[in-house]
């Protein structure tokens, strides 16, 4: 991106990347989605949801760069932003290694920032994490009514694998398959992992559907976000998984 004008105004359509930019150079952000809840007290223009952003409002903010993700944001919305003459950087994050690569691309190459210390800290935190076994087979719901679980090729699945948890449905043809509850209970899992987002599973909402299986209630932010939370994710997720496996 040599020769391009300096990036001074950024709109982020991805909560993870909003937090990453805010932790590195908060003055760059001029807009973010309604779901961008971190850091607390972020004072920027809200531009709607990740799936239904107000593209006209975004264009009116005149950002130098819009940050998006191929999974979280819809292609028609990104096309509308491009048609409005905006520069859109679209990320793809399906593994932990890819998360680190894309974070550097967004922050350093995209926004023109120095590589942040927290990104190195996150790499170090995960470098010290290795799952030598024994591995636990788990079902990982992300929604109910209908039940949806992690399938193939997901960032959260890769994160869990590095912590010794094998996603039973990692070989499914779909990335987020809908599977009836009876099938989930008959899949041979040894553990159910219940994050608090996107569906807010909790002690009274989720475990009762999997009688006989230990339940790990985990932080969805630490399981599915790629940003500063990665520095604490191995410890936070590891503690929840160990507690459920006792």
């Amino acid at each position: 991106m040599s020769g391009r004008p300096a990036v001074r105004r950024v709109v982020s359509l991805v909560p993870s990347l909003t937090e990453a930019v805010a932790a590195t150079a908060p003055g760059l952000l001029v807009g973010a989605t309604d779901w961008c809840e971190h850091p607390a007290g972020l004072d920027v223009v809200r531009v709607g949801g990740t799936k239904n952003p107000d593209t006209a409002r975004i264009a009116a903010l005149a950002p130098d760069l819009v940050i998006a993700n191929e999974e979280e944001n819809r292609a028609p919305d990104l096309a509308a932003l491009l048609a409005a003459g905006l520069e859109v950087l679209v990320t793809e994050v399906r593994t932990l290694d890819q998360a680190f690569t894309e974070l550097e691309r967004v922050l350093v190459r995209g926004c023109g920032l120095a590589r942040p210390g927290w990104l190195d800290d996150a790499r170090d935190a995960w470098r010290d994490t290795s799952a030598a076994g024994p591995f636990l087979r788990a079902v990982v719901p992300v929604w109910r009514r209908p039940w949806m679980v992690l399938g193939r090729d997901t960032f959260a699945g890769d994160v869990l694998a590095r912590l010794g948890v094998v996603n039973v449905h990692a070989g499914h043809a779909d990335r987020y398959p809908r599977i009836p509850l009876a099938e989930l209970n008959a899949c041979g899992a040894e553990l159910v992992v219940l994050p608090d987002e996107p569906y807010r599973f909790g002690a009274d909402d989720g475990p009762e559907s999997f009688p006989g299986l230990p339940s790990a209630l985990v932080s969805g932010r630490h399981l599915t976000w790629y940003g500063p939370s990665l520095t604490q994710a191995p410890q936070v997720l590891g503690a929840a998984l160990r507690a459920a496996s006792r």
Side-chain angles (χ1 to χ4, degrees):
M1 294 193 179
S2 59
R4 60 170 287 175
V7 172
R8 303 186 188 281
R9 298 173 63 81
V10 173
V11 170
S12 173
L13 303 181
V14 186
S16 295
L17 299 178
T18 298
E19 184 179 22
V21 174
T24 309
L28 286 184
L29 284 170
V30 295
T33 75
D34 299 340
W35 298 106
C36 295
E37 300 176 346
H38 294 274
L42 181 66
D43 185 17
V44 297
V45 174
R46 299 297 175 164
V47 297
T50 56
K51 304 298 185 187
N52 59 343
D54 186 331
T55 55
R57 178 177 291 182
I58 294 170
L61 288 172
D64 302 309
L65 183 67
V66 178
I67 304 169
N69 176 264
E70 52 88 29
E71 178 178 318
E72 294 201 46
N73 307 120
R74 301 186 316 124
D77 295 322
L78 303 183
L81 295 172
L82 288 169
L86 301 181
E87 182 170 351
V88 181
L89 190 162
V90 183
T91 59
E92 178 185 281
V93 178
R94 301 191 182 187
T95 67
L96 183 63
D97 288 338
Q98 196 174 24
F100 290 134
T101 299
E102 290 287 66
L103 283 165
E104 183 162 353
R105 182 166 76 100
V106 167
L107 297 171
V108 179
R109 292 165 53 194
C111 296
L113 302 171
R115 181 184 173 86
W118 64 259
L119 186 53
D120 292 322
D121 292 340
R123 279 189 179 274
D124 290 342
W126 282 97
R127 188 177 294 115
D128 295 337
T129 300
S130 61
F135 288 83
L136 286 175
R137 289 168 48 81
V139 57
V140 191
V142 293
W143 202 258
R144 67 183 301 175
R145 306 183 193 94
W147 286 95
M148 298 175 66
V149 299
L150 290 186
R152 64 170 180 86
D153 197 22
T154 66
F155 171 74
D158 187 47
V159 165
L160 288 171
R162 292 167 185 267
L163 296 171
V165 175
V166 176
N167 175 18
V168 171
H169 297 97
H172 198 282
D174 298 328
R175 296 184 66 216
Y176 300 97
R178 298 184 180 188
I179 299 179
L181 183 59
E183 291 185 27
L184 295 181
N185 274 297
C187 70
E190 303 164 276
L191 176 72
V192 56
V193 178
L194 297 167
D196 60 10
E197 63 174 83
Y199 185 90
R200 191 174 293 278
F201 288 107
D204 299 321
D205 189 353
E208 78 289 344
S209 297
F210 299 89
L213 273 187
S215 298
L217 297 169
V218 303
S219 162
R221 176 167 167 259
H222 290 94
L223 179 62
T224 64
W225 288 39
Y226 34 90
S229 59
L230 285 173
T231 59
Q232 297 89 29
Q235 180 180 0
V236 172
L237 295 173
L241 293 171
R242 287 190 297 273
S245 303
R246 288 173 184 155

